[in-house]
């Protein structure tokens, strides 16, 4: 994990502004994410975290600012182009094909990650094998091999959240954006998700929105704290834990083990 402190950031967003009419959701956010790290974004509801994710992944256009990813200016590129550049994400609300089995969800995610992949009826047989092998590899990584033929809608909530991470992985990304992956999870599922996210950083860069402070403090290399559409402070988990501004703004006594 940890990455090279002196290397150019994989993601370099500068002065990101997002306005909806007269409302400013993001008021000039700078964010630099190093490759091979887990970078968490925290803050209370309404701080602008999910809006920031939307702008960085191309789900919504920015009003002003620039976004570079892996040396490419992606500021005005749509989300499907950014996926092909190596950006993939999960969403706060589970978005699976509930009637399809787990393996088919992963296959569709893998096929759809590249231009015309989902509807290309003339692919060579080797392409089908490649996608099937990728799906099986992800199933094993998620601990869902035994549920491969189960409809996604029949999985437990924790299993569905893991599958959604797997669908992001199926795009073979360089960076994975996870929006509250532990939302709604029971205590029994949290350790497994924490281990999964930590393990992702061996092969990917992870940008994480998360309310569970135990997870954030345990697995993050860098934490960015947002307040009212702006960055309040950024630093290591230890520095964030001890920052009086952070305590005053959000965390108080909950920083040692709760939700912010």
């Amino acid at each position: 994990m940890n990455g090279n402190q002196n290397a150019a950031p994989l993601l370099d967003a500068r002065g990101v502004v997002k306005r909806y009419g007269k409302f400013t959701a993001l008021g000039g956010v700078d964010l630099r994410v190093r490759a091979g790290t887990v970078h968490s974004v925290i803050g209370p509801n309404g701080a602008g975290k999910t809006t920031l994710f939307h702008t960085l992944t191309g789900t919504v256009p920015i009003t002003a600012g620039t976004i570079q990813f892996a040396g490419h200016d992606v500021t005005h590129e749509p989300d499907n182009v950014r996926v092909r550049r190596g950006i993939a994400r999960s969403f706060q609300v589970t978005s699976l094909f509930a009637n399809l089995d787990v393996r088919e969800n992963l296959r569709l995610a893998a096929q759809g990650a590249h231009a015309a992949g989902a509807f290309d009826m003339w692919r060579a047989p080797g392409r089908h094998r490649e996608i099937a092998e990728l799906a099986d590899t992800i199933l094993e990584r998620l601990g869902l091999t035994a549920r491969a033929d189960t409809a996604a809608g029949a999985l437990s909530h924790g299993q569905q959240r893991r599958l959604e991470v797997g669908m992001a992985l199926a795009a073979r990304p360089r960076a994975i954006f996870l929006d509250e992956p532990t939302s709604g999870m029971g205590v029994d599922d949290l350790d497994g998700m924490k281990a999964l996210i930590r393990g992702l950083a061996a092969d990917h860069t992870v940008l994480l929105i998360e309310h569970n402070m135990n997870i954030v403090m345990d697995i993050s290399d860098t934490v960015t704290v947002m307040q009212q559409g702006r960055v309040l402070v950024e630093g290591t988990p230890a520095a964030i834990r001890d920052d009086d501004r952070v305590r005053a703004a959000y965390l108080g006594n909950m920083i040692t083990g709760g939700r912010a």
Side-chain angles (χ1 to χ4, degrees):
M1 217 152 61
N2 295 327
N4 184 340
Q5 295 281 356
N6 299 317
L10 178 66
L11 175 72
D12 190 352
R14 303 195 182 207
V16 174
V17 175
K18 179 59 185 177
R19 297 190 187 97
Y20 296 95
K22 294 182 178 179
F23 173 68
T24 300
L26 298 174
V29 173
D30 292 342
L31 188 72
R32 295 170 183 83
V33 180
R34 291 176 287 118
T37 65
V38 176
H39 191 129
S40 292
V41 179
I42 66 172
N45 291 335
K49 306 181 300 294
T50 296
T51 301
L52 178 62
F53 264 36
H54 287 333
T55 61
L56 296 176
T57 58
T59 306
V60 299
I62 65 174
T63 305
T66 62
I67 302 169
Q68 290 212 348
F69 180 78
H72 299 280
D73 186 342
V74 301
T75 306
H76 301 293
E77 291 184 343
D79 53 358
N80 63 302
V81 174
R82 295 190 205 190
V83 167
R84 295 197 291 275
R85 291 213 184 274
I87 293 175
R89 71 169 293 180
S90 72
F91 290 84
Q92 188 173 0
V93 178
T94 303
S95 53
L96 304 172
F97 299 101
N99 294 326
L100 298 180
D101 67 39
V102 172
R103 182 182 281 110
E104 195 62 21
N105 269 269
L106 293 172
R107 284 176 178 167
L108 285 175
Q111 289 173 200
H114 299 280
F119 302 102
D120 182 1
M121 300 299 138
W122 302 102
R123 285 189 304 272
R127 175 67 171 154
H128 290 287
R129 286 194 297 273
E130 178 187 340
I131 290 173
E133 289 170 1
L134 176 64
D136 287 342
T137 298
I138 294 172
L139 282 168
E140 184 174 354
R141 188 168 195 172
L142 300 175
L144 291 176
T145 301
R147 307 303 302 274
D149 299 321
T150 302
L155 297 177
S156 70
H157 180 72
Q159 290 170 334
Q160 288 182 354
R161 299 302 287 183
R162 273 188 279 154
L163 176 56
E164 191 164 59
V165 174
M167 291 178 73
L169 278 174
R172 286 158 286 193
R174 296 185 64 178
I176 300 177
F177 289 65
L178 303 178
D179 191 349
E180 296 198 30
T182 68
S183 176
M185 274 191 173
V187 175
D188 292 343
D189 290 317
L190 289 176
D191 284 344
M193 179 61 84
K194 184 166 73 172
L196 174 60
I197 297 170
R198 192 201 306 269
L200 292 177
D203 307 302
H204 309 275
T205 300
V206 180
L207 192 59
L208 174 71
I209 294 175
E210 181 53 60
H211 274 121
N212 188 302
M213 290 297 102
N214 283 331
I215 290 178
V216 169
M217 295 300 163
D218 283 352
I219 70 175
S220 303
D221 296 296
T222 305
V223 180
T224 296
V225 184
M226 292 187 66
Q227 180 182 38
Q228 297 180 345
R230 297 179 182 273
V231 173
L232 176 68
V233 63
E234 182 176 287
T236 64
I240 295 301
R241 183 184 290 111
D242 295 334
D243 193 289
D244 289 339
R245 292 167 295 175
V246 176
R247 288 180 175 275
Y250 317 112
L251 305 179
N253 294 327
M254 290 195 299
I255 196 165
T256 57
R259 294 176 64 83

